[in-house]
Amino acid sequence: MKLSPKRAENLSVAALIMNLLFFLLALFFDNFSGSRAVGVVGWLYLGGIPIWLALIIQFRQRRLAQQEKFEAQEYQRLRKEGRANSVFEGDLDAEMMIQQKRLDWIEKWLISSVAIVLAIYLLAVGFWQWKLVSGVKLTAAGDLPLRVGMDLGKTVVVLAGMSVVSFLFACYTIGMSRQNEWRPLRSGGVFLIGGTLAALATAGCLAASAFAYYKPLILAGKVLAGMMMVLGVETALMVTMDFFRPRLKGQYQQAAFESRLLGLFGQPGGIFYTASHALDYQFGFKVSETWFYRLLEKYIVTLLLIDAAILYLATCVAIVPTGNKAVCHRWGEPINLDNPWSAGLHFKLPWPIDQVKSFPVEQVQCVDVGYDRNDPVIGPDGKHYHDYTPVLWTKEHWKAEYPFLVPARKAGVDSEDNESVNNLFDKLVVAVVFQYHIEDIKQYAYQSGSFIDPAKVIKQLCERVVMHYCGQNDIEQILGPGRDATAQMLKKNINDTLNQYAVGVEVDFVGIKSVHPPVKVAEAFEKVISALQKKQTQILAAQGISHKIENDAQAQATVALSRAQAYKQERQMLAQADSVRFDNQITAYEKGGDVYLLREYLSVLDEFMPKIRKYLVSSDNVDSWIYEFDLKENLKPDMFEGLGIESEPKNK
């Protein structure tokens, strides 16, 4: 007895309506969730509509082909009995079976076309939903941006109801597909299993968000979007392989849009069946008939549950690493803030009742402000190395740079008059690293009574301190000789700010890794710096010339003054000598009389006419001085002149 395709056709129509209804419900309740996970569930259910539509067409055409075949058989029977009247003579030609031809065309081309459309849909919508889910971020307080007035209970109940209904429908459909006439229903039932798992997982994550666990909800959206893309890739591969698969007449061809991956969840026993056949083939004997395999097959679920229970009970043990302290949260509320757990082994209630957060109290932590660090340089041996390549202003120093506004001073304006030019600003990249350690865990992470992300708070405070400092100091001070003073002042300011807000940490070191103008204006900035350097060079050269002239003038003045003083002393000494000599001359004259005068007279002649031959003739008959000068040139000088030897012998 053949089963009627009408029942499968009606079931496909009901499944199509159910998928469409679940899609609309998921979109409606997606407005209550900021994670987009509920919306992904709806789009996944919408992907089943092409499958059910293809099944409706296929079973309807099967019903028409079956009816056509029945009518042909009835005609043949009546013909044999001689009661059939027809314009055709002989047997009906097989080419006249129009409905069967249409069925063959549908199962050969329409099913493959629907699989191609489904693959494109799953890949495109999966990627689109992945982008949307990736854009959902937690707030600074660690919450999810949910709509005000959200009723989580209604959303969870609706999703749970969708999962239950689709699961029952999938089980019923897969059960019907065990009959050969209804075998195509398995593809739709398997796809419903995927929707069941998605709705159930999303409902559980939404329930967890009621206890402030929001990350599983975001993760669920990403996983579901990724599952859609994986199913799209699988469908595309099945379509490609379907073109090369041999088609045997009368044998059912599994549809390309029937997921083999989801089929593992739809029929778990098939996994053991496949594994047993693989083991029998590999070992060469019936491994599936051994007592161990039968025992494992019988108690595998129990063993898995025991393993899961052991793993769950392992969450009752918490290990705090060395150098850390931990705070235990019970239903999200810290219970040992005043006495945190030290390093070692501790026992607690299982997850999710108790959760432990560990804090590295003895570790120096870093906060980078104004930049993002470069990726490490990995050598051929796989080790990390420092990059010592010189970096110029015209090249990026870091992976990302965030410049600060710095007041610009006009040339010739003193620091006291900076208020008149405070409306002029330049951009300056200041890369600063803050190193700190935790002093008080309660202040560090639980100021509001519940856990917050202290790293973000500290980073924001550090950025604010750097921004304020840059806004109050001109560019020449920060870029030039004031880097050490800047680091010390930043350390003082950040510690004061952290103490003001009671953050529970202390900054041990502040280092300025680099200070430079943004890359886009670095070239123009270098021109300005070059012009300033040339200006400074000319100023220093002029100052050098000025100092040289001043030194030369001072030296000349010193020489002239020294000469004047020497001349003064010389004149004084000469005057004193003349005075003493005059006194001595007076004394000599008083004693020598004319003899002294004659002596002085002759000494004057000898001093002022040393090379003139002088003759002194003494006579008593002359009472006056007679001067005779011989101006004749001596053309023949005496060779014995000046030797004290007479040139001619005296005549005696």
Side-chain angles (χ1 to χ4, degrees), residues 412-442:
V413 179
D414 296 334
S415 58
E416 298 178 355
D417 300 329
N418 277 345
E419 295 182 358
S420 61
V421 292
N422 277 344
N423 57 339
L424 299 177
F425 289 90
D426 283 335
K427 286 186 177 180
L428 195 64
V429 177
V430 183
V432 187
V433 56
F434 294 84
Q435 294 183 354
Y436 66 92
H437 68 275
I438 302 173
E439 288 191 336
D440 190 335
I441 294 179
K442 186 174 182 180

Side-chain angles (χ1 to χ4, degrees), residues 304-319 345-354:
L304 291 177
L305 291 177
I306 292 174
D307 291 340
I310 293 174
L311 291 176
Y312 182 72
L313 292 177
T315 61
C316 296
V317 179
I319 300 177
L345 188 66
H346 302 272
F347 295 94
K348 64 181 184 65
L349 296 179
W351 182 90
I353 301 175
D354 282 0

Side-chain angles (χ1 to χ4, degrees), residues 153 197 238 288 324 413 425 469 471 496 595:
L197 296 176
M238 291 299 103
S288 58
N324 289 26
V413 179
F425 289 90
Y469 183 84
D496 293 342
V595 176

Side-chain angles (χ1 to χ4, degrees), residues 73-92:
Q73 291 176 353
E74 183 67 17
Y75 173 78
Q76 291 294 343
R77 185 181 64 81
L78 294 176
R79 178 103 181 261
K80 289 180 181 180
E81 295 178 357
R83 294 185 297 172
N85 296 322
S86 174
V87 296
F88 300 102
E89 295 183 358
D91 296 335
L92 290 176

Side-chain angles (χ1 to χ4, degrees), residues 277-529:
H277 278 275
L279 290 174
D280 293 344
Y281 177 78
Q282 292 295 330
F283 288 96
F285 63 94
K286 293 291 185 178
V287 178
S288 58
E289 296 181 359
T290 60
W291 67 271
F292 178 77
Y293 183 85
R294 293 184 179 277
L295 180 66
L296 183 64
E297 185 178 6
K298 183 178 181 180
Y299 295 103
I300 184 65
V301 177
T302 305
L303 293 175
L304 291 177
L305 291 177
I306 292 174
D307 291 340
I310 293 174
L311 291 176
Y312 182 72
L313 292 177
T315 61
C316 296
V317 179
I319 300 177
V320 182
T322 303
N324 289 26
K325 288 188 177 181
V327 175
C328 181
H329 292 208
R330 182 161 297 167
W331 299 115
E333 185 72 19
I335 61 175
N336 61 334
L337 274 180
D338 296 330
N339 188 21
W341 291 345
S342 58
L345 188 66
H346 302 272
F347 295 94
K348 64 181 184 65
L349 296 179
W351 182 90
I353 301 175
D354 282 0
Q355 287 186 326
V356 175
K357 292 187 180 296
S358 180
F359 301 94
V361 294
E362 297 182 6
Q363 177 183 349
V364 176
Q365 303 184 58
C366 295
V367 174
D368 298 329
V369 175
Y371 73 105
D372 291 337
R373 302 197 178 198
N374 296 324
D375 296 330
V377 179
I378 302 178
D381 54 355
K383 297 181 179 179
H384 292 181
Y385 292 92
H386 294 287
D387 188 4
Y388 294 105
T389 304
V391 181
L392 304 177
W393 281 0
T394 53
K395 294 184 179 180
E396 293 284 353
H397 288 56
W398 309 103
K399 187 175 183 179
E401 298 177 344
Y402 311 101
F404 295 94
L405 290 178
V406 181
R409 286 180 53 188
K410 290 184 178 180
V413 179
D414 296 334
S415 58
E416 298 178 355
D417 300 329
N418 277 345
E419 295 182 358
S420 61
V421 292
N422 277 344
N423 57 339
L424 299 177
F425 289 90
D426 283 335
K427 286 186 177 180
L428 195 64
V429 177
V430 183
V432 187
V433 56
F434 294 84
Q435 294 183 354
Y436 66 92
H437 68 275
I438 302 173
E439 288 191 336
D440 190 335
I441 294 179
K442 186 174 182 180
Q443 293 181 352
Y444 177 69
Y446 299 92
Q447 289 189 18
S448 59
S450 60
F451 177 75
I452 60 175
D453 190 355
K456 293 182 179 179
V457 176
I458 295 174
K459 184 176 179 63
Q460 291 174 357
L461 291 177
C462 292
E463 289 177 348
R464 190 179 74 171
V465 168
V466 176
M467 185 181 301
H468 285 182
Y469 183 84
C470 291
Q472 297 173 356
N473 293 269
D474 59 74
I475 191 170
E476 295 181 4
Q477 177 68 15
I478 300 176
L479 187 60
R483 295 183 62 169
D484 292 338
T486 298
Q488 297 299 325
M489 186 57 66
L490 288 177
K491 180 180 178 181
K492 178 181 179 301
N493 293 345
I494 188 59
N495 279 323
D496 293 342
T497 303
L498 294 175
N499 293 333
Q500 177 184 356
Y501 288 92
V503 182
V505 301
E506 182 179 357
V507 175
D508 302 317
F509 173 77
V510 176
I512 300 179
K513 300 180 72 69
S514 66
V515 180
H516 62 278
V519 175
K520 294 182 179 179
V521 299
E523 185 175 355
F525 205 95
E526 285 182 346
K527 292 180 180 179
V528 174
I529 297 298

Side-chain angles (χ1 to χ4, degrees), residues 191-316:
F191 202 87
L192 277 178
I193 290 293
T196 301
L197 296 176
L200 185 61
T202 306
C205 294
L206 276 175
S209 65
F211 299 97
Y213 295 104
Y214 301 106
K215 290 185 178 180
L217 190 58
I218 299 177
L219 182 61
K222 294 182 178 180
V223 170
L224 294 180
M227 185 181 72
M228 291 184 67
M229 290 188 285
V230 170
L231 293 177
V233 172
E234 180 198 11
T235 306
L237 291 176
M238 291 299 103
V239 171
T240 305
M241 295 175 62
D242 195 45
F243 284 111
F244 301 96
R245 181 185 304 166
R247 297 179 180 271
L248 301 178
K249 188 175 182 180
Q251 183 178 357
Y252 174 75
Q253 300 292 333
Q254 189 174 1
F257 49 68
E258 182 178 334
S259 175
R260 279 67 171 173
L261 296 177
L262 294 178
L264 299 177
F265 299 95
Q267 191 176 1
I271 301 176
F272 295 100
Y273 180 79
T274 304
S276 63
H277 278 275
L279 290 174
D280 293 344
Y281 177 78
Q282 292 295 330
F283 288 96
F285 63 94
K286 293 291 185 178
V287 178
S288 58
E289 296 181 359
T290 60
W291 67 271
F292 178 77
Y293 183 85
R294 293 184 179 277
L295 180 66
L296 183 64
E297 185 178 6
K298 183 178 181 180
Y299 295 103
I300 184 65
V301 177
T302 305
L303 293 175
L304 291 177
L305 291 177
I306 292 174
D307 291 340
I310 293 174
L311 291 176
Y312 182 72
L313 292 177
T315 61
C316 296

